[in-house]
Coordinates of all heavy atoms in Angstrom, one line a residue:
L207 N -73.3 -56.0 10.5 CA -74.0 -55.4 9.4 C -74.5 -56.4 8.4 O -75.5 -56.4 7.8 CB -73.2 -54.3 8.7 CG -72.7 -53.2 9.6 CD1 -71.9 -52.1 8.7 CD2 -73.9 -52.5 10.3
A208 N -73.6 -57.4 8.2 CA -73.9 -58.5 7.3 C -75.2 -59.3 7.8 O -76.0 -59.7 7.0 CB -72.7 -59.5 7.1
R209 N -75.2 -59.5 9.1 CA -76.4 -60.2 9.7 C -77.7 -59.4 9.4 O -78.7 -59.9 9.0 CB -76.2 -60.4 11.1 CG -77.3 -61.2 11.8 CD -77.1 -61.3 13.3 NE -77.3 -60.0 13.9 CZ -78.5 -59.4 14.1 NH1 -79.6 -60.1 13.8 NH2 -78.7 -58.3 14.7
L210 N -77.6 -58.1 9.7 CA -78.8 -57.2 9.5 C -79.2 -57.1 8.1 O -80.4 -57.0 7.8 CB -78.5 -55.8 10.0 CG -78.3 -55.6 11.5 CD1 -77.9 -54.2 11.9 CD2 -79.6 -56.0 12.3
A211 N -78.3 -57.1 7.1 CA -78.6 -57.0 5.7 C -78.8 -58.4 5.0 O -79.0 -58.4 3.8 CB -77.5 -56.2 5.0
S212 N -78.7 -59.4 5.8 CA -78.8 -60.8 5.2 C -77.8 -61.0 4.1 O -78.1 -61.6 3.0 CB -80.2 -61.0 4.7 OG -81.2 -60.9 5.8
L213 N -76.6 -60.7 4.3 CA -75.5 -60.9 3.4 C -74.4 -61.8 4.0 O -74.3 -61.8 5.2 CB -74.8 -59.5 3.0 CG -75.7 -58.6 2.1 CD1 -75.0 -57.2 2.1 CD2 -75.8 -59.2 0.7
S214 N -73.7 -62.5 3.2 CA -72.6 -63.3 3.7 C -71.4 -62.5 4.2 O -70.7 -62.9 5.1 CB -72.1 -64.3 2.6 OG -71.6 -63.5 1.5
A215 N -71.3 -61.3 3.6 CA -70.2 -60.4 4.1 C -70.6 -58.9 3.8 O -71.4 -58.6 2.9 CB -68.9 -60.6 3.3
F216 N -70.2 -58.0 4.7 CA -70.4 -56.6 4.5 C -69.1 -55.9 4.8 O -68.5 -56.1 5.9 CB -71.5 -56.2 5.5 CG -72.2 -54.9 5.2 CD1 -73.5 -54.8 4.9 CD2 -71.5 -53.7 5.2 CE1 -74.2 -53.6 4.6 CE2 -72.1 -52.5 4.9 CZ -73.4 -52.4 4.6
H217 N -68.6 -55.1 3.9 CA -67.2 -54.6 4.0 C -67.2 -53.2 4.5 O -68.0 -52.3 4.0 CB -66.5 -54.7 2.6 CG -66.4 -56.1 2.1 ND1 -65.5 -57.0 2.6 CD2 -67.1 -56.8 1.2 CE1 -65.6 -58.1 2.0 NE2 -66.6 -58.1 1.1
L218 N -66.3 -52.9 5.3 CA -66.0 -51.5 5.8 C -64.7 -51.0 5.2 O -63.7 -51.8 5.1 CB -65.9 -51.5 7.3 CG -67.1 -51.9 8.1 CD1 -66.8 -51.8 9.6 CD2 -68.4 -51.2 7.8
L219 N -64.7 -49.8 4.8 CA -63.5 -49.1 4.3 C -63.3 -47.8 5.0 O -64.3 -47.1 5.4 CB -63.6 -48.8 2.8 CG -63.5 -49.9 1.8 CD1 -63.8 -49.3 0.4 CD2 -62.1 -50.5 1.8
N220 N -62.1 -47.4 5.2 CA -61.8 -46.0 5.7 C -62.4 -45.1 4.6 O -62.3 -45.4 3.4 CB -60.3 -45.8 5.8 CG -60.0 -44.3 6.0 OD1 -59.7 -43.6 5.1 ND2 -60.0 -43.9 7.3
D221 N -63.0 -44.0 5.0 CA -63.8 -43.1 4.1 C -62.9 -42.5 3.0 O -63.3 -42.4 1.8 CB -64.6 -42.0 4.8 CG -63.7 -41.1 5.6 OD1 -62.6 -41.5 6.0 OD2 -64.2 -40.0 6.0
L222 N -61.6 -42.2 3.3 CA -60.7 -41.6 2.3 C -60.2 -42.7 1.4 O -59.9 -42.4 0.2 CB -59.6 -40.9 3.0 CG -59.8 -39.3 3.1 CD1 -59.7 -38.6 1.8 CD2 -61.1 -39.0 3.8
E223 N -60.0 -43.9 1.9 CA -59.7 -45.0 1.0 C -60.8 -45.2 0.0 O -60.6 -45.4 -1.2 CB -59.5 -46.3 1.8 CG -59.1 -47.5 1.0 CD -58.9 -48.8 1.8 OE1 -59.3 -48.7 3.0 OE2 -58.5 -49.8 1.3
A224 N -62.1 -45.1 0.4 CA -63.2 -45.2 -0.5 C -63.2 -44.1 -1.5 O -63.5 -44.3 -2.7 CB -64.5 -45.2 0.3
V225 N -62.9 -42.9 -1.1 CA -62.7 -41.8 -2.1 C -61.7 -42.1 -3.1 O -61.8 -41.8 -4.3 CB -62.3 -40.5 -1.3 CG1 -61.9 -39.4 -2.3 CG2 -63.5 -40.0 -0.5
G226 N -60.6 -42.7 -2.7 CA -59.5 -43.1 -3.6 C -60.0 -44.0 -4.7 O -59.7 -43.9 -5.9
F227 N -60.9 -45.0 -4.3 CA -61.4 -45.9 -5.3 C -62.3 -45.2 -6.3 O -62.5 -45.6 -7.4 CB -62.2 -47.0 -4.6 CG -61.4 -48.2 -4.1 CD1 -61.1 -48.3 -2.7 CD2 -60.8 -49.1 -5.0 CE1 -60.3 -49.4 -2.3 CE2 -60.1 -50.1 -4.5 CZ -59.8 -50.3 -3.2
G228 N -62.9 -44.1 -5.9 CA -63.8 -43.4 -6.7 C -63.2 -42.4 -7.7 O -63.9 -41.9 -8.6
L229 N -61.9 -42.0 -7.5 CA -61.3 -41.0 -8.3 C -61.5 -41.2 -9.8 O -61.8 -40.3 -10.6 CB -59.9 -40.8 -7.9 CG -59.6 -40.2 -6.6 CD1 -58.1 -40.0 -6.4 CD2 -60.3 -38.8 -6.4
D230 N -61.2 -42.4 -10.3 CA -61.2 -42.7 -11.7 C -62.7 -42.7 -12.3 O -62.8 -42.8 -13.5 CB -60.6 -44.0 -12.0 CG -59.0 -43.9 -11.9 OD1 -58.5 -42.8 -12.1 OD2 -58.4 -44.9 -11.7

């Protein structure tokens, strides 16, 4: 994904972990 988006890094998260980051 990083190659396709021309980024040095592209991060994957479990979807519920991502929800956890969004709660606040």
